[in-house]
Amino acid sequence: MIFHVRVHPKVEKEIQQMVLLANAPSIAAKRADDIIRQLANGTSMTCAGRFSIIRDARLRNLYKFNLGKGYRLITIKEHHDVYILFIGDHDQCDRWLDANRKKNPHKRDGAVMTVYAVEAAQSGIEQETTCPQVDSIDEADLLPPVSQKDLRQVFCAFASDCHGTGE
């Protein structure tokens, strides 16, 4: 259960600037703002937004929300607090993660964060374990995973000299 959502001032400023831009940055900023609002309203992290598919091991308890069109929202969950630390495109997030690798950036930075007390925690209501709504499902999520055997058969058909398939 989350008790507090802590937003870094740079994230708030970046969201305000991104809203003024056109297309992808504006949409990503609105999605980030929606995720922050949902977390503050007591929605679980898994229901607040889509996570990036690839798990990142550069920071402990790191969660990257996929905002679409290459934009990410970087968060860290520690105990009952969620720290929202960075927003940007994929390359910016990658550079930020490399610069803050294994440094506990939520503790190290002396910036005064905006703190939202989670409403569900205040009222003592348990969070829902299932998401009440699903935003959108990609077709890729509906397809079953492809086995190595199937991949070998497909790519072997393209290759003119396929001798061993490992079977």
Side-chain angles (χ1 to χ4, degrees):
M1 179 176 245
I2 299 170
F3 293 153
H4 298 100
V5 177
R6 300 173 187 273
V7 183
H8 197 281
K10 288 182 182 177
V11 173
E12 292 177 328
K13 182 178 179 182
E14 189 67 27
I15 288 174
Q16 291 172 355
Q17 291 175 351
M18 288 171 62
V19 167
L20 301 175
L21 300 175
N23 298 331
S26 177
I27 293 168
K30 291 173 185 172
R31 287 181 182 167
D33 192 45
D34 187 46
I35 289 170
I36 294 168
R37 197 171 347 100
Q38 285 186 36
L39 289 172
N41 287 333
T43 304
S44 69
M45 287 186 68
T46 55
C47 294
R50 279 184 86 165
F51 290 123
S52 290
I53 296 171
I54 299 173
R55 184 83 173 139
D56 204 315
R58 288 179 270 194
L59 290 172
R60 175 173 268 165
N61 301 321
L62 173 74
Y63 296 91
K64 291 189 299 186
F65 285 99
N66 183 352
L67 304 175
K69 301 293 184 189
Y71 285 88
R72 307 284 187 265
L73 181 69
I74 296 176
T75 64
I76 292 177
K77 184 175 188 274
E78 187 175 86
H79 303 295
H80 297 291
D81 291 349
V82 173
Y83 296 86
I84 300 174
L85 300 173
F86 192 80
I87 184 172
D89 63 29
H90 181 74
D91 293 336
Q92 290 171 333
C93 290
D94 199 42
R95 283 191 298 271
W96 187 88
L97 286 168
D98 283 339
N100 292 288
R101 178 184 300 258
K102 307 217 187 269
K103 293 183 180 177
N104 293 328
H106 58 292
K107 294 179 182 177
R108 174 174 66 91
D109 194 1
V112 178
M113 296 190 189
T114 304
V115 179
Y116 298 98
V118 176
E119 292 177 10
Q122 290 177 343
S123 63
I125 299 172
E126 283 294 319
Q127 292 178 342
E128 295 180 20
T129 56
T130 59
C131 299
Q133 62 189 21
V134 176
D135 292 338
S136 64
I137 299 175
D138 288 344
E139 290 180 21
D141 293 337
L142 299 175
L143 297 174
V146 180
S147 70
Q148 288 294 321
K149 180 181 174 185
D150 292 337
L151 288 173
R152 281 190 203 103
Q153 287 176 346
V154 169
F155 287 107
C156 190
F158 290 124
S160 60
D161 60 337
C162 188
H163 297 293
T165 59
E167 295 177 27

